[in-house]
Amino acid sequence: MRDSRLAVRGARLFDGEVAHSGPVMVLVEEGRIIDIDFTGAPPPEGAALADLGTATIMPGLVDAHTHLAFDPNGNTEHQMLHDDDATVMARMRGHAAQALRAGITTVRDLGDRGYLSLRLRDEYAGGEPGPQIVAAGPPITSSRGHCWYLDGEADGTEEMVAAVTSRAEHGTDLVKIMATGGMSTKGSDPGGSQYSLAELQAVTQTAHRLGLPVTAHAHGASGIADAVAAGVDGIEHSTFMTRSGVRLDSRTVDAMAAAGTFVGCTVVKPREGMPPEVLETIEPYWENHAYMRRHGVRVVCCTDAGINPHKPHDVLPSDLVYFAAQVATNAEALASATSLAAESCGLGHRKGRVAPGYDADLLVVDGDPVHHIDAIRRVRAVYRAGRPVALDSEASSRG
């Protein structure tokens, strides 16, 4: 009988929390990590060896905020209103494969149409090759509110409680709610709240009773404060917009830290041609995320992939390099997109670390990303549940 074990050897390891000098060998069996060897010993007899020389072995990346249904180069509103399910599903499969080739082995989809991300999640769980998907389904939003075209509109406590219940019945992994408006929906005010504190509390209490975490899209400072007070598990963006510009509220930050709230830092880089009102938010955005991390908030580097041409679904490695320059050390940034991101997705017990008992989702890169973070873009190999992922020339030479 053929031995099903695989040994992956490299020069060093970042285990999702701590860097280790090598040599290192990760032993995999039936999709799980069963042992890690630092002695330089040969692989067990019969185990297949993948010797990757001077490369670094680390956990597969976790993108905790993505939209597989969104075409970064298309008109999202038009496509979501007019494309049929088969077209959208084909797009989602392509985006998921693109992410996987870049070493993103888990994605959390925070907004689809018609619960299509659940269908794709179940395809991959059934054995089709693809990343692990954590799916929210259509986000709950107010009538004609941010991303209304995803068909998640609900107004008032009764409708909102029913919307949460419907998501639980469909089998979502979490609930996403648009606590404020957003920048990518015509007529939406990103700084303005879409729901009251009482409505947000009703959503959170219902979801938690049904065993589902809640994450809230929130740009406005008042919407962030209300969502935190309502007991959400995560805040996406956390821009702290006010009528007088971006202004961080230290009391809200303290409340986040005390509650263990995750903050999804959807990386925004200044670009030539950006509207002045957007550019004015970027510098304080990064100052605020660095402040939050220093003050104990669990800040997760993620992408919002799919929302525009600068956000393809394999952008996380590039965004992580920028995040490291703005918010954290290289090692902290790597942890943010592996072990911490896995925790934010409810998968900290089996994803985001290279340790015995964890899924064998591995990213192997040329160089040492702890010392030179740009190495994260030089992909040598990707393993999803112990199976090697075919890399195209673009993915393997990115940088």
Side-chain angles (χ1 to χ4, degrees):
M1 181 176 176
R2 183 177 175 272
D3 196 321
S4 63
R5 289 177 297 175
L6 168 70
V8 181
R9 177 180 283 161
R12 65 193 70 81
L13 171 72
F14 177 75
D15 68 9
E17 296 178 348
V18 178
H20 305 267
S21 59
V24 61
M25 182 172 62
V26 179
L27 190 62
V28 175
E29 186 170 16
E30 296 183 352
R32 293 289 182 94
I33 298 167
I34 61 171
D35 196 12
I36 301 170
D37 180 83
F38 293 100
T39 69
E45 186 176 351
L49 174 65
D51 192 336
L52 293 158
T54 60
T56 298
I57 302 171
M58 59 178 289
L61 300 176
V62 178
D63 193 342
H65 190 142
T66 187
H67 298 277
L68 292 172
F70 290 7
D71 176 1
N73 297 302
N75 183 316
T76 298
E77 180 176 325
H78 183 272
Q79 290 177 335
M80 292 297 96
L81 290 173
H82 297 287
D83 287 354
D84 61 23
D85 284 358
T87 299
V88 177
M89 284 292 287
R91 183 182 302 133
M92 293 173 73
R93 291 187 188 97
H95 292 158
Q98 182 183 14
L100 187 59
R101 290 192 298 269
I104 304 163
T105 54
T106 299
V107 298
R108 185 170 66 164
D109 191 294
L110 291 184
D112 70 6
R113 186 197 74 193
Y115 298 95
L116 294 180
S117 60
L118 279 70
R119 285 173 51 182
L120 190 59
R121 175 196 69 188
D122 295 346
E123 279 185 18
Y124 294 154
E128 292 297 317
Q132 175 97 29
I133 295 177
V134 179
I140 299 172
T141 193
S142 57
S143 291
R144 303 301 287 190
H146 182 44
C147 290
W148 63 269
Y149 45 79
L150 297 178
D151 199 26
E153 294 167 296
D155 300 301
T157 300
E158 186 175 338
E159 286 187 11
M160 295 168 74
V161 167
V164 174
T165 303
S166 176
R167 280 150 183 75
E169 291 170 347
H170 275 88
T172 65
D173 298 301
L174 75 156
V175 171
K176 165 85 174 290
I177 185 163
M178 303 301 199
T180 73
M183 298 178 188
S184 59
T185 301
K186 292 180 201 173
S188 181
D189 176 11
S193 295
Q194 295 195 156
Y195 294 114
S196 68
L197 172 58
E199 289 170 328
L200 293 172
Q201 287 172 327
V203 164
T204 303
Q205 290 166 6
T206 303
H208 288 171
R209 177 172 55 80
L210 295 171
L212 295 177
V214 179
T215 197
H217 159 106
H219 287 294
S222 60
I224 295 168
D226 283 348
V228 173
V232 300
D233 302 279
I235 299 285
E236 306 304 314
H237 313 300
S238 199
T239 312
F240 283 99
M241 289 180 170
T242 72
R243 292 186 183 278
S244 58
V246 174
R247 299 283 186 275
L248 182 139
D249 178 359
S250 61
R251 291 172 299 179
T252 300
V253 173
D254 290 343
M256 288 176 174
T261 309
F262 292 98
V263 166
C265 177
T266 48
V267 172
V268 184
K269 305 175 191 176
R271 298 186 303 273
E272 188 175 345
M274 272 185 165
E277 61 272 19
V278 175
L279 285 170
E280 288 170 3
T281 70
I282 292 178
E283 184 176 351
Y285 179 87
W286 286 110
E287 291 173 355
N288 291 346
H289 280 79
Y291 176 94
M292 285 187 279
R293 194 199 64 78
R294 289 196 307 270
H295 286 78
V297 176
R298 301 194 283 184
V299 178
V300 175
C301 176
C302 50
T303 68
D304 212 357
I307 59 164
N308 62 45
H310 304 281
K311 288 290 185 174
H313 288 82
D314 57 358
V315 76
L316 181 57
S318 175
D319 279 0
L320 186 62
V321 172
Y322 195 79
F323 178 90
Q326 301 295 321
V327 174
T329 67
N330 291 349
E332 289 163 346
L334 293 169
S336 178
T338 54
S339 57
L340 188 64
E343 286 183 47
S344 77
C345 294
L347 296 173
H349 60 294
R350 50 181 282 240
K351 303 283 185 183
R353 291 191 59 209
V354 180
Y358 278 68
D359 292 354
D361 293 353
L362 304 174
L363 169 59
V364 185
V365 299
D366 272 328
D368 182 355
V370 173
H371 289 92
H372 303 283
I373 189 70
D374 208 57
I376 196 70
R377 298 191 284 192
R378 298 195 296 271
V379 178
R380 281 286 304 278
V382 177
Y383 295 86
R384 168 73 178 98
R387 296 179 182 177
V389 173
L391 304 180
D392 59 25
S393 57
E394 181 184 355
S396 59
S397 63
R398 185 177 292 101

